[in-house]
Amino acid sequence: MNLFEAYSEQIKEHSKNPHWTGKCQGENVSFVAHNPLCGDTVTISLVIDNQTITEARAVVNGCAFCRASTSCLLSSVQGLSKQEALSLIDSLLLWSKKTREEKPPLDLFAAFTPVCASPMRLKCVTLSWYALKSAIELSF
Amino acid sequence: MSSLVNAKNDFPLFSERKDAFHYLDSASTTQKPQAVILAVAEAYKRFCANPHRGAYRLSEDVTAKVASCRESLRRFFNVPDSHEVIFTHGATDALNALVFMMTPFLEAGDNVIVSPLEHHANLLPWYRQQKNIGTLVSTISTEDKFEVTLSDIERSITPSTKIISVTHVSNVLGTILPIKEITQIAKEKNIRVFVDGSQAAANLPVSIKNLGCDAYIVSAHKMYGPSGVGALIIDKALAETFEPYQLGGGMVLDVKDGEMIFAPLPERLEAGTLPIEGIIGWQAAIEYLSSFKKEEKEKHLRNLRSKAWEALSKIKGLTLFGSKDGIGAFSFAVEGVHSHDMATILDGNSVCVRAGHHCAKPLMGILGIESLARVSFGIYNDESDIEALVKGIVQAQRILL
């Protein structure tokens, strides 16, 4: 597939108007992930209360796929327990390696299927996934 | 002499496609003309033997062929002596070899000057040497971030400076460094000058005799030849003092009682079997390039770059990064569009550009940017490529802004 076609309406919308941006008020965990190859940076900010992610936000300096993927992930983890969020991220990471055989754990991520198939751009999609995983693990 | 008007037809990548294809990444690697492709195939058919090794005619034919390729390179780059042309496995290999072989001549505190425009290949080996033996690598401080002038270089020289190792043409900005003038001032101060000519070899007429540098490094795949082969073109008197970078077959006269007597140049610095088919293909590339008038080729490349520069400068929100009077490549950034998105959307329009840091991280730091899109030109490019580039950039803005 021509990756050009991956700029779907959903990806464009999340990229132009990403959800859950900025830093949480009362943040108690943060994590910065950086890809030196392309310069993308994702700064995760969390409020964790009694093992639950009560708020998750991020500041993204990156490409459209990175911004959109972060927005979709953050929209999916608000209010989840830390363990539920980690399980979701693990299943997303697993799916990203075999998108041809499997559907994503959440339909919201189907738009990233062609991007995950590109070795060059896969990291754009997964940077925030790894960042959030690290942030949660830091909180244990 | 051939005409550049139809040069695109000489390259199967373009001539065998039915759709338009706009390759603007020749600074990464150039496409290969049919003549080079045929020469490589011919090498496997007719010249598959080890040079200098066999007492049979096929091996002798290959030995003669390699010598003839070396002579072609000598003529093309106007090198005083063909023994000064050392085949390597590419420009990176040549630069690593050069830094390694210079190490015994340097000591802690000796200064090596590099420019801010260097590709990592002409930077990391010097940094490792600095770490290992305590030399001091310093970067020329420039008044204009897109240019390196002679006065910038003169200001950087200290009494401890032993080496100036710089690129001839920037792979990101297209900036041309004044090599001949650098060499003149360096010689007065007994400083060696090494030049990474990877980006200049196919774009500028290069006379090494005229430049006067101690070493000049080139890569075949950036001048329409095969990958995996390059050359360290080096002053014979200096090369003869070198402990070879690699030891092995073909580079010794005798080995006895744990002692070795090295062969004369060039074999002395060419351990192991040479990339024969690459060398033969390179000769075909040189013959192909020589079929065009040097001035006409340079004019064509300068015109294309200048037209692209002008066209892109009219796009709102686009910032150009480069030397206006440079050659080869220049880079650009579009506000709100990441360079990787730009490259992907351009690819959707069959326009190939490079995006990222271009193996020049220190330069990106100086420019204050993480990533840039880069365009670069080859003799096969024409104005239709520039039109497609502009159209693609505008489309990327429409999609993502």
Side-chain angles (χ1 to χ4, degrees), chain A residues 37-110:
Chain A
L37 294 175
C38 60
D40 287 1
T41 304
V42 175
T43 306
I44 297 283
S45 171
L46 299 178
V47 179
I48 295 179
D49 182 20
N50 196 23
Q51 305 302 310
T52 299
I53 299 169
T54 55
E55 191 178 352
R57 292 184 176 274
V59 174
V60 179
N61 180 8
C63 68
F65 296 140
C66 184
R67 289 197 302 267
S69 131
T70 308
S71 174
C72 290
L73 178 67
L74 295 177
S75 301
S76 310
V77 298
Q78 308 291 332
L80 294 188
S81 72
K82 291 199 289 189
Q83 208 52 59
E84 287 169 333
L86 284 176
S87 298
L88 172 63
I89 295 168
D90 284 343
S91 55
L92 279 168
L93 288 169
L94 200 62
W95 165 75
S96 71
K97 290 169 191 149
K98 42 184 177 180
T99 50
R100 282 188 189 158
E101 297 108 65
E102 289 182 14
K103 285 186 172 178
L106 294 174
D107 289 344
L108 185 63
F109 293 91

Side-chain angles (χ1 to χ4, degrees), chain B residues 276-293:
Chain B
I276 302 158
E277 68 287 352
I279 291 170
I280 292 172
W282 197 1
Q283 186 180 38
I286 286 167
E287 282 167 7
Y288 176 73
L289 278 172
S290 305
S291 73
F292 303 102
K293 278 186 186 165

Side-chain angles (χ1 to χ4, degrees), chain B residues 177-366:
Chain B
L177 271 71
I179 301 298
K180 189 178 175 183
E181 292 76 9
I182 294 171
T183 303
Q184 280 167 350
I185 57 164
K187 277 208 187 325
E188 290 166 13
K189 299 172 192 289
N190 209 20
I191 298 168
R192 297 275 185 197
V193 177
F194 303 145
V195 182
D196 176 0
S198 302
Q199 297 295 331
N203 289 323
L204 291 172
V206 174
S207 164
I208 290 170
K209 194 174 175 182
N210 185 249
L211 292 175
C213 50
D214 296 283
Y216 196 90
I217 287 93
V218 289
S219 177
H221 79 94
K222 292 192 197 291
M223 46 188 298
Y224 310 95
S227 55
V229 59
L232 168 62
I233 301 170
I234 184 153
D235 174 66
K236 201 174 165 188
L238 175 62
E240 279 172 342
T241 64
F242 281 163
E243 174 81 14
Y245 172 53
Q246 290 183 319
L247 306 173
M251 49 78 71
V252 282
L253 290 176
D254 198 9
V255 185
K256 202 175 178 183
D257 301 328
E259 295 296 320
M260 48 199 158
I261 301 166
F262 298 131
L265 290 171
E267 286 82 13
R268 176 193 174 93
L269 300 182
E270 291 177 344
T273 300
L274 292 169
I276 302 158
E277 68 287 352
I279 291 170
I280 292 172
W282 197 1
Q283 186 180 38
I286 286 167
E287 282 167 7
Y288 176 73
L289 278 172
S290 305
S291 73
F292 303 102
K293 278 186 186 165
K294 279 182 187 174
E295 305 75 30
E296 201 180 313
K297 186 158 55 74
E298 188 188 345
K299 190 178 162 193
H300 173 70
L301 292 166
R302 281 188 185 271
N303 275 348
L304 281 171
R305 189 181 183 280
S306 163
K307 281 180 178 161
W309 180 282
E310 197 185 324
L312 266 59
S313 68
K314 290 178 186 156
I315 299 175
K316 207 176 163 190
L318 187 148
T319 307
L320 291 163
F321 291 78
S323 165
K324 198 171 181 219
D325 299 319
I327 198 157
F330 69 80
S331 298
F332 65 93
V334 174
E335 200 180 342
V337 182
H338 192 283
S339 71
H340 281 185
D341 291 322
M342 179 59 74
T344 299
I345 291 170
L346 285 171
D347 181 46
N349 288 270
S350 299
V351 178
C352 306
V353 301
R354 173 97 178 258
H357 56 63
H358 311 290
C359 300
K361 287 285 272 186
L363 174 62
M364 304 306 270
I366 290 166

Side-chain angles (χ1 to χ4, degrees), chain B residues 372-389:
Chain B
L372 286 171
R374 178 187 75 184
V375 289
S376 53
F377 304 92
I379 53 174
Y380 32 67
N381 289 123
D382 55 34
E383 288 191 37
S384 73
D385 300 318
I386 300 170
E387 285 163 21
L389 172 68

